[in-house]
Amino acid sequence: MSKTRRDRMIRTLIADDEPLARRGLELRLAGEADIRIVDQVGDGAAAVRAVSTHAPDLLFLDVQMPGLDGFATLRAIPAQQMPLVVFVTAYDHYALNAFESNAIDYLLKPVDDSRLHQALFRVREALDRREASDHRARLLGLLGALSGRPALSLDEALEAGGAHELRDPDAPLAIRDGARTVRLPRASIRWVDAAGDYLCIHTDHETHVLRASLGQLERRLDPARFPRIHRSTLINAARVSSLRPHLNGEYFLTLDCGQELKLSRSYRDRLALFK
């Protein structure tokens, strides 16, 4: 392990609706010198807020929680904020083969000390190799695998709407979500983010996961209304309620739903507020 890794604390968030499970994991992690628990929460919505507030490196995420379950929680976290995720579950029927191939690791309850140490080893390796940016793509692949729906290209997903709808900036965006066609009013889109071959369209009601690049979707939307604010994120400019300066010419934008997203300096001129 490099000196940099030994000196760096791994900021860790625990999300589990069972207080005893949170406490047990906290006690086991207390012996890890490089782990710093920044928060513990009991539901998915609180986990999304805590990720935004604390910017953790690592999230221990319970699969079954009230409200947003673990998978819905992942869909709600912007790509640019996504930490490494270790799933925690009491149910071994939750597609553990998929967890093994797409997640950093998973833990079965009650958590075994040796499995926890193995998971932390994988986390440290991923951070050392700077693979965290690839992790979101694997997680979105996992969400697609667990949905049981076929992987559609963007063209396939949008073909139900017809080319005329794609050219009309006010027409609903029609997407195929499995066997159904969903027509998304463009005003309902809050933001879109992407990682690897997958993107998430976050709307007022749910998040749709498509197999496509952000650039492909960007070409289908009006860039004045849906500017890119980060290499992995574009927003509905009409949903921006406020902004605050950050470092080195960067800003944080707050959407009217309360979600905060980073505006990178290199994309600042794409937003009308800076023109």
Side-chain angles (χ1 to χ4, degrees), residues 149 175-182 206 208:
R149 298 169 180 166
I175 66 170
R176 282 176 52 200
D177 187 354
R180 63 180 181 147
T181 297
V182 181
E206 60 182 310
H208 303 273

Side-chain angles (χ1 to χ4, degrees), residues 64-243:
Q64 282 202 323
M65 292 186 293
L68 295 180
D69 66 11
F71 305 125
T73 298
L74 291 181
R75 290 187 177 95
I77 298 174
Q80 56 184 254
Q81 297 177 7
M82 180 63 70
L84 298 178
V85 175
V86 173
F87 290 104
V88 183
T89 177
Y91 302 92
D92 60 6
H93 63 270
Y94 270 103
L96 296 188
N97 288 336
F99 284 2
E100 289 175 339
S101 60
N102 293 282
I104 287 294
D105 209 343
Y106 68 91
L107 300 172
L108 291 177
K109 296 179 180 178
V111 175
D112 177 78
D113 286 341
S114 64
R115 281 291 293 117
L116 176 59
H117 292 151
Q118 182 181 356
L120 291 175
F121 177 80
R122 292 180 176 177
V123 167
R124 293 176 180 117
E125 274 197 325
L127 290 172
D128 279 341
R129 293 196 302 263
R130 301 183 181 275
E131 286 188 347
S133 61
D134 298 329
H135 184 53
R136 171 70 172 184
R138 293 198 298 273
L139 289 175
L140 291 181
L142 170 62
L143 294 177
L146 293 179
S147 73
R149 298 169 180 166
L152 301 177
S153 69
L154 183 63
D155 289 338
E156 291 171 327
L158 294 178
E159 67 182 3
H164 68 284
E165 290 187 355
L166 297 175
R167 291 192 296 266
D168 183 350
D170 295 314
L173 193 66
I175 66 170
R176 282 176 52 200
D177 187 354
R180 63 180 181 147
T181 297
V182 181
R183 304 177 76 84
L184 303 179
R186 300 191 186 209
S188 75
I189 299 174
R190 295 172 172 175
W191 84 95
V192 181
D193 57 13
D197 295 329
Y198 292 87
L199 59 81
C200 287
I201 302 176
H202 302 271
T203 73
D204 289 327
H205 305 293
E206 60 182 310
T207 297
H208 303 273
V209 180
L210 303 179
R211 185 163 188 160
S213 71
L214 194 62
Q216 286 177 291
L217 181 61
E218 189 176 29
R219 290 191 291 273
R220 307 285 186 124
L221 297 170
D222 180 351
R225 297 184 182 186
F226 293 91
R228 190 184 288 227
I229 62 166
H230 185 274
R231 59 185 175 83
S232 64
T233 310
L234 61 84
I235 60 164
N236 183 343
R239 307 299 295 266
V240 176
S241 60
S242 65
L243 73 161

